[in-house]
Structures are given as structure tokens and as C-alpha cells.
Amino acid sequence: MQKGVFLGLVTADTVYYVPQHLQPNQKVKAERQLAYAGGPAANAAVTFAAFGNEASLITSLGQHPLAHLAKVDLADHKVRLIDSTDRPRRPPILAAVIVDLSNGERSVVYSNTDSRKLRRDCINETTLEDADILMLDGFYLLQAVQMATWAKARRIPVVLDGGSWKEGLETLLPLVDYVICSDAFHPPGATGIEGTVASLRGYGIEHIAITKDGDPIIAHTGGELCEVPVMAVKVVDTLGAGDIFHGAFCHYILENDFLISIERASEVASLACTSLGTRAWIEQEKFI
């Protein structure tokens, strides 16, 4: 069993599955509705725990009744929650997700994440005690930089989920060992994938992967760029696939090299797209 620490965003998600994309002023009955914890750090932690690992999640949820569904979901999936919100009575970040069953694509509406903060005393050097890996999603940057600094001193690998560029990331990147980002991640002044890779290498990062939905992943390691193929599947739901990728990568990288870890994490994420929601794949043991 490996121990992973995840710091970042958690939301309370309600997901509606509809037959096709809604038109203006249209009302439609959902084919199915799910509710659980969402957000990049949450889904990655659940995935890491699904492999039989120990996952600790530092985030901001609070005591509001709407936070309860996210807390129950995380507990059900054996994620240790360290709830460190600075305003516990405020509602959690809420997300309403609409998934088009005709193609698996989704639309997301969520409440403001900028005003969410963690207590300054929520972490200390013992937070990483016995940790094997640290994953950050770019949120709660003050704590992320401090955690990454401690991880660096302890030689604990640091993984960054780069969904999109966030202000201040330039202070975190020199402390990161692995960046797994989408093709929507654009450092200031960087143009295209080669520009993104060059920018990240400028921060001293040598292991980089850029996902492009169902297209081959662009990976940089050992000073070279290469493509990692993505397994072809019948897509039912792409929700959370990137987060699942990151959690699976954190599992595999502790025992494999970078390219093998990218390939295997991609397989897990692809298979997760063949079922509804971000949890059903866990119940199918052959996927693990």
C-alpha cells in the first residue's frame, strides 16, 4: 500500500444525463441523475484509493448541509478528508453537470472558486509524514507551494494536474516533478504544445504529458517528445476522465517509469469513459 496526499478543489456535484444537448428554453427529463464529490483533487484521490492505496485529501468543504453528499462519497471510497475551510458555514462549491448521452460530452456550471480559502494552520511538516507522493491541482496555491517545498526537501515526488493556467503557478512549477496537463493549459507567452513544453522545461520540469481528449498524448521525457496512443473505447461519459488519469498516474509512477505510467493511467481513464459517472469503473475489478 502506498500513501498519497492530495491538495486541491472539491465540489458537490449533481450530474444530469440527458438524451441530447439542450436547446434554448428547452426542458428535458434526465435519463439518470447522480450526486457525489467532484473536482480534480477529489476524483484523483478516489482513484488512488481504488487501487488499495491510502489517500488523504486536503480541501475546503465545511459544515453546510450541501457539503454532506461530498463527505459521504469520499468516506465511502476510503479517502481520508482533511477539511480545512476558513469559513465552515459557507456552502461548498456546487457544480451542476449536464452530460449528453448521444456523444458523452458534458457541460458544467459551478459556483465561484476564487473566494475559497484554507486555514493557514491546516498543514505542517507532519502532513507529509510517510507520504509516497503529493498531487496538487493548482488551487489553494499558498498551501500548495508550502507542501511542495516540504515534499522537495523529503524527496517526495510532486505531481501537478494542469487543467488550465492559474495566476501564480510560476511560483509552484519549480517545485514540481511531473506535470500532467490538458491542451488547454497555456503558460503565459507559450504557443502550441511545443511552446507549452518549452515553457515547463524552463522551470526545470523534465517529465511532461499533455492530454488531448481521445487523441494521442504528447509526452516529454529524457529530452525527447513522443506520442502515447489512447485506447479506443465506446465513450459513454467523459466526466472526470482527466482527474481519474491523474489519480491512476500517481499510483503507477511509484512502481513504473514515466511512459509506462502514462500509458496505464490512460487505459484506466479510457475505460472509465465507458460507464456513467466517475465511480462505476471502480466496481468493475477487471479495470483495476
Side-chain angles (χ1 to χ4, degrees):
M1 177 188 293
Q2 307 285 3
K3 180 178 179 181
V5 177
F6 298 77
L7 185 150
L9 188 68
V10 177
T11 61
D13 287 5
T14 303
V15 187
Y16 302 92
Y17 293 91
V18 298
Q20 66 272 328
H21 182 72
L22 273 71
Q23 301 301 317
N25 297 315
Q26 181 185 7
K27 294 182 180 180
V28 64
K29 180 181 177 181
E31 299 284 340
R32 190 174 179 187
Q33 179 182 356
L34 298 174
Y36 38 59
N43 287 326
V46 167
T47 300
F48 189 77
F51 284 90
N53 299 308
E54 181 180 338
S56 297
L57 174 61
I58 304 168
T59 191
S60 170
L61 267 175
Q63 300 170 3
H64 192 279
L66 290 172
H68 182 67
L69 75 87
K71 289 184 174 182
V72 170
D73 176 54
L74 293 171
D76 285 347
H77 289 90
K78 298 180 173 57
V79 173
R80 175 175 173 256
L81 175 64
I82 303 173
D83 187 7
S84 304
T85 180
D86 66 337
R87 298 174 68 179
R89 296 191 177 184
R90 170 183 286 183
I93 300 167
L94 303 173
V97 185
I98 298 176
V99 178
D100 183 343
L101 287 173
S102 69
N103 55 24
E105 295 180 355
R106 82 280 192 207
S107 301
V108 183
V109 179
Y110 60 91
S111 53
N112 186 12
T113 61
D114 297 336
S115 60
R116 311 296 301 195
K117 292 182 174 58
L118 301 181
R119 299 192 313 274
R120 288 183 174 270
D121 65 347
C122 71
I123 58 170
N124 54 57
E125 289 192 63
T126 64
T127 307
L128 289 174
E129 190 172 9
D130 299 323
D132 297 295
I133 197 161
L134 170 66
M135 200 213 84
L136 310 166
D137 63 8
F139 289 92
Y140 309 124
L141 194 60
L142 179 68
Q143 287 81 9
V145 170
Q146 183 60 78
M147 290 279 285
T149 301
W150 289 331
K152 202 77 170 177
R154 291 171 175 251
R155 297 185 179 180
I156 297 170
V158 179
V159 179
L160 176 65
D161 167 359
S164 60
W165 181 264
K166 298 173 180 62
E167 184 178 353
L169 274 182
E170 62 276 1
T171 62
L172 177 62
L173 287 172
L175 304 167
V176 171
D177 298 292
Y178 303 98
V179 173
I180 315 295
C181 59
S182 73
D183 56 359
F185 182 88
H186 302 299
T191 303
I193 288 177
E194 290 187 357
T196 297
V197 170
S199 177
L200 292 173
R201 291 193 68 189
Y203 290 99
I205 302 167
E206 289 300 319
H207 304 291
I208 303 160
I210 301 175
T211 60
K212 302 188 297 176
D213 296 323
D215 294 331
I217 299 163
I218 304 300
H220 176 276
T221 188
E224 296 183 356
L225 277 176
C226 64
E227 288 189 349
V228 178
V230 172
M231 183 171 61
V233 296
K234 182 180 180 180
V235 174
V236 174
D237 184 6
T238 62
L239 181 64
D243 309 336
I244 292 168
F245 184 107
H246 299 131
F249 174 82
C250 288
H251 168 74
Y252 286 120
I253 194 61
L254 294 174
E255 298 179 351
N256 300 276
D257 67 25
F258 182 68
L259 290 180
I260 289 177
S261 299
I262 291 295
E263 182 178 359
R264 292 185 178 176
S266 173
E267 290 175 356
V268 173
S270 293
L271 289 168
C273 292
T274 64
S275 56
L276 295 183
T278 56
R279 306 288 186 259
W281 68 273
I282 298 173
E283 301 171 7
Q284 304 177 50
E285 295 182 5
K286 64 180 181 179
F287 291 173
I288 301 176

